[in-house]
């Protein structure tokens, strides 16, 4: 059974930090690109990062570049999203997804349940 589970959300103040985890099972983790996405209230889901299956390089959307960073633990089949210098605009439900394509721009094969991040000013 394929499972993706995002965790680590919570509340933070502006300028604070949180680390999210995306634990996976049921598929060959190293063959999949992993994306982080978020959906703020009243907005569409947006992609914020994509870690490529080929070399584990990561693309970041401009709004999080320099503040968020992704790391991968292949042995644990887990991807982490370190979020620093949080802003109220980062408040959203965060999701991780997996695709067996090199990039994340053509839809995800698997989705995890989201985790809520709330940043207060």
């Amino acid at each position: 059974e394929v499972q993706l589970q995002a965790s680590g959300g919570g509340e933070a103040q502006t300028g604070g930090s949180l680390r999210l985890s995306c634990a996976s099972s049921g598929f060959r983790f190293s063959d999949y690109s992993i994306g982080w996405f978020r959906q703020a209230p009243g907005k569409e889901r947006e992609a914020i990062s994509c870690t490529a299956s080929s070399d584990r390089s990561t693309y970041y959307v401009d709004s999080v570049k320099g503040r968020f960073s992704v790391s991968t633990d292949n042995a644990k089949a887990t991807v982490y999203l370190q979020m620093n210098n949080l802003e109220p605009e980062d408040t959203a439900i965060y999701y991780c997804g997996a695709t067996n394509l090199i990039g994340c721009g053509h839809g995800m094969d698997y989705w995890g349940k989201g985790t809520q991040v709330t940043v207060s000013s």
Side-chain angles (χ1 to χ4, degrees), residues 8-20 38-41 48 63-64 67-68 81-94 115-121:
E11 297 184 358
Q13 293 188 330
T14 297
S17 299
L18 286 171
R19 189 177 81 153
L20 306 185
R38 67 185 180 186
Q39 187 165 18
I48 59 173
S63 60
V64 307
R67 300 187 299 120
F68 292 9
L81 179 66
Q82 178 67 43
M83 306 186 295
N84 298 327
N85 197 17
L86 285 162
E87 303 169 351
E89 293 73 21
D90 296 318
T91 295
I93 300 174
Y94 284 69
T115 184
Q116 176 72 46
V117 171
T118 303
V119 184
S120 58
S121 57

Side-chain angles (χ1 to χ4, degrees), residues 1-40:
E1 178 186 5
V2 172
Q3 287 191 342
L4 277 175
Q5 181 62 57
S7 61
E11 297 184 358
Q13 293 188 330
T14 297
S17 299
L18 286 171
R19 189 177 81 153
L20 306 185
S21 300
C22 176
S24 68
S25 61
F27 61 95
R28 192 167 182 172
F29 177 77
S30 59
D31 289 346
Y32 281 72
S33 299
I34 305 296
W36 282 99
F37 302 78
R38 67 185 180 186
Q39 187 165 18

